[in-house]
């Protein structure tokens, strides 16, 4: 079964609107990370939130983590057409000391100008 | 180097042939990871190297897949007797540290493998 599951699978919004993506996971984690992927190639690390943190900001990005519900959300405010990409959450599992990340299936975001 | 470098960027091979994919991580990064991504799917973990420790091979899908990392730097992923289901983008990533100080991966641009 998937460690990280994201919803929605696809999201289409207008430029200037906010985009919210959610990620749920099953087992305890050290941290949770969000990545962005353009055109099916390499992923870019966006933000990391540790298990003892509840919220984190980076520019127009806001990430929340609820360890009791085993869920996280990524909010992109004032979206731009250039934000169009696939977004993945990834979990660094608690029992794993090696930093091996388990990725979700991703949310495909389309921002229309 | 400035980033994680993968080569080739694209590879088309005939079914049954062997292929080698190369990854050159960021200098000083102790950990190196291989993932693969089929069209429209998430990332599937393949193998992980950390320093001089034995690699975590738990994600390799069959014994046709192997990887090595020489001198703690460059890694080669080898697929023997390729099958059509091996067609995917193979992504390499490296990171500086692990555990509580883990700061995330830097990915290469991937190798798109097509088996015909």
């Amino acid at each position: 079964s998937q460690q990280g599951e994201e919803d929605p699978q696809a999201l289409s919004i207008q430029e200037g609107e906010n985009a919210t993506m959610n990620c749920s996971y099953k087992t305890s984690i050290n941290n949770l990370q969000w990545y962005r992927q353009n055109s099916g190639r390499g992923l870019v690390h966006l933000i990391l939130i540790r298990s003892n943190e509840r919220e984190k900001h980076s520019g127009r990005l806001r990430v929340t983590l609820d360890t009791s519900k085993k869920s996280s959300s990524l909010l992109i405010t004032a979206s731009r057409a250039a934000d169009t990409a696939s977004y993945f959450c990834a979990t660094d599992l608690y029992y794993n000391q090696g930093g091996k990340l388990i990725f979700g299936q991703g949310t495909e975001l389309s921002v229309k100008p | 180097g400035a980033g994680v470098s993968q080569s080739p960027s694209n590879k088309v091979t005939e079914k049954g042939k062997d292929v080698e994919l190369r990854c050159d991580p960021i200098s000083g990064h102790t950990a190196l990871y291989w993932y693969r991504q089929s069209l429209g799917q998430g990332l599937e973990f393949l193998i992980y190297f950390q320093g001089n420790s034995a690699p975590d091979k738990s994600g390799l899908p069959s014994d046709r897949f192997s990887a090595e990392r020489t001198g703690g730097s460059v890694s080669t992923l080898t697929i023997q007797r390729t099958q059509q289901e091996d067609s995917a983008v193979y992504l390499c990533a490296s990171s500086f540290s692990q555990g509580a100080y883990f700061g995330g991966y830097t990915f290469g641009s991937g190798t798109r493998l097509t088996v015909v």
Side-chain angles (χ1 to χ4, degrees), chain B residues 37-108:
Chain B
Q37 184 178 31
S38 300
L39 189 63
Q41 300 297 308
L43 276 69
E44 175 188 3
F45 168 77
L46 296 177
I47 189 169
Y48 154 61
F49 298 89
Q50 170 62 42
N52 295 321
S53 302
D56 176 353
K57 303 179 182 180
S58 60
L60 294 179
S62 77
D63 59 8
R64 295 186 296 105
F65 288 73
S66 63
E68 62 177 23
R69 188 179 184 191
T70 53
S73 181
V74 172
S75 176
T76 302
L77 176 69
T78 300
I79 309 173
Q80 296 179 312
R81 306 181 302 281
T82 51
Q83 303 294 314
Q84 288 185 327
E85 61 262 29
D86 299 334
S87 295
V89 176
Y90 288 80
L91 292 161
C92 174
S94 67
S95 69
F96 179 67
S97 56
Q98 64 181 40
Y101 302 100
F102 180 51
Y105 292 179
T106 301
F107 277 88

Side-chain angles (χ1 to χ4, degrees), chain A residues 7-83:
Chain A
D7 86 277
Q9 290 187 331
L11 179 61
S12 182
I13 59 174
Q14 294 294 129
E15 213 166 23
E17 294 180 340
N18 295 342
T20 300
M21 290 160 267
N22 303 295
C23 171
S24 61
Y25 58 92
K26 292 181 168 57
T27 59
S28 298
I29 60 172
N30 290 317
N31 63 70
L32 184 145
Q33 306 178 30
W34 286 89
Y35 288 79
R36 166 193 166 128
Q37 184 180 40
N38 287 85
S39 305
R41 286 296 188 145
L43 283 72
V44 175
H45 179 254
L46 295 176
I47 196 165
L48 178 153
I49 186 164
R50 302 193 191 283
S51 59
N52 60 353
E53 297 175 312
R54 291 297 166 257
E55 188 170 312
K56 207 159 182 183
H57 297 255
S58 176
R60 293 183 296 111
L61 305 180
R62 172 176 167 253
V63 169
T64 61
L65 180 65
D66 186 334
T67 53
S68 67
K69 295 181 179 178
K70 292 187 169 57
S71 67
S72 174
S73 67
L74 171 68
L75 169 68
I76 304 174
T77 60
S79 63
R80 306 166 182 167
D83 295 328

